[in-house]
Amino acid sequence: MTAQKPVGYDAFLEFAAADSAVVGLVLKGSRAHEGMTTDHSDHDLYVVLDDGATTALTRFSGHRTPELDLVILSLDEFRAAGMPGFERYALARARIVLDRLDGGIARILAGKARLDADEAFREAGEWLDAYANSLYRSVKNDRDGHALAARLDAADSIRSLLELLFALDRRPRPYNKYLEWELARFPLPGWDIAMLLDAVDRISVTGDVSAQRRLFAHVEAVARRAGHGAVLDAWGEDLVLMRPQ
């Protein structure tokens, strides 16, 4: 088996499991999300090597085919992956294929799936301010007759809103592809998920100002209960424009 020849998922698993340098195999992406695979889904596999280990597996670094995409890294590198970074959600919902650390791989993944309290509070405050900023610009642009700008700002606000809501629940925000999957299985506490998704859809497509204001009323209440009143109050009289009229 060589790096020059394509290797399939099952064959690579057998090869990797026989290598004592491998302490973990972790599958991420659509194949780790039940019901999300398609005919085009590859296997995104993290190969976790014991720190300082020497192995011939490193020749597969960067291996990528329509069937198998490999990331080969040390245990220390695996601990740091996505902390912070784009990969955090993927690893938070990853599926363990092999864990030779008596649950150590599982504990690392669990840590990625849960923001610590200080981190979550800080990020929620930052995303709340970003959400308010885009919302305010959208409503103001709509008022002043800048329809395209209003819609673009409305769409921008949704990204910040979702980051905010998941941070408030101490979770990394899912990729857009997995948003509905995530909320169906792990709802955000205190939210009517159907209402939230309908509002996100409507606002992203149309920039509907009334829908933005109704949604903001819910967000404001949730954010204040979570201790972020100072972030909102810093907007002063501009809050009037954001709230339902």
Side-chain angles (χ1 to χ4, degrees), residues 49-231:
L49 306 177
D50 202 5
D51 290 325
T54 300
T55 171
L57 284 176
T58 54
R59 73 179 185 268
F60 290 101
S61 295
H63 179 93
R64 188 171 189 177
T65 68
E67 182 186 356
L68 181 61
D69 186 0
L70 296 176
V71 176
I72 300 176
L73 71 179
S74 70
L75 183 58
D76 276 347
E77 290 170 332
F78 182 65
R79 287 192 182 97
M83 302 293 283
F86 185 70
E87 285 289 277
R88 185 163 187 173
Y89 174 76
L91 289 166
R93 292 291 177 225
R95 180 165 66 84
I96 296 172
V97 179
L98 176 69
D99 185 347
R100 285 198 171 116
L101 299 179
D102 296 323
I105 297 295
R107 287 189 291 274
I108 292 171
L109 293 180
K112 297 178 189 299
R114 185 75 169 164
L115 281 64
D116 69 47
D118 290 342
E119 176 188 20
F121 189 85
R122 181 183 67 255
E123 290 194 4
E126 292 171 354
W127 286 116
L128 174 60
D129 194 50
Y131 166 62
N133 186 287
S134 292
L135 169 63
Y136 176 71
R137 290 176 182 276
S138 177
V139 174
K140 188 170 65 170
N141 280 325
D142 179 80
R143 179 198 63 190
D144 295 341
H146 305 301
L148 175 59
R151 291 195 301 273
L152 292 173
D153 285 325
D156 284 346
S157 77
I158 294 302
R159 180 201 173 204
S160 298
L161 168 69
L162 293 173
E163 295 279 4
L164 162 64
L165 297 185
F166 281 95
L168 288 172
D169 198 36
R170 296 178 59 184
R171 291 154 60 183
R173 175 198 164 180
Y175 305 152
N176 293 333
K177 176 180 179 178
Y178 301 121
L179 177 63
E180 292 174 283
W181 184 97
E182 179 80 13
L183 291 177
R185 290 159 179 78
F186 309 99
L188 290 165
W191 282 91
D192 179 328
I193 298 304
M195 180 278 290
L196 175 61
L197 287 174
D198 180 70
V200 165
D201 187 15
R202 179 183 297 273
I203 291 166
S204 297
V205 173
T206 70
D208 186 317
V209 169
S210 294
Q212 291 192 72
R213 285 171 166 154
R214 288 193 300 270
L215 183 57
F216 179 72
H218 289 280
V219 174
E220 181 174 11
V222 168
R224 288 189 183 280
R225 286 197 298 270
H228 295 286
V231 174

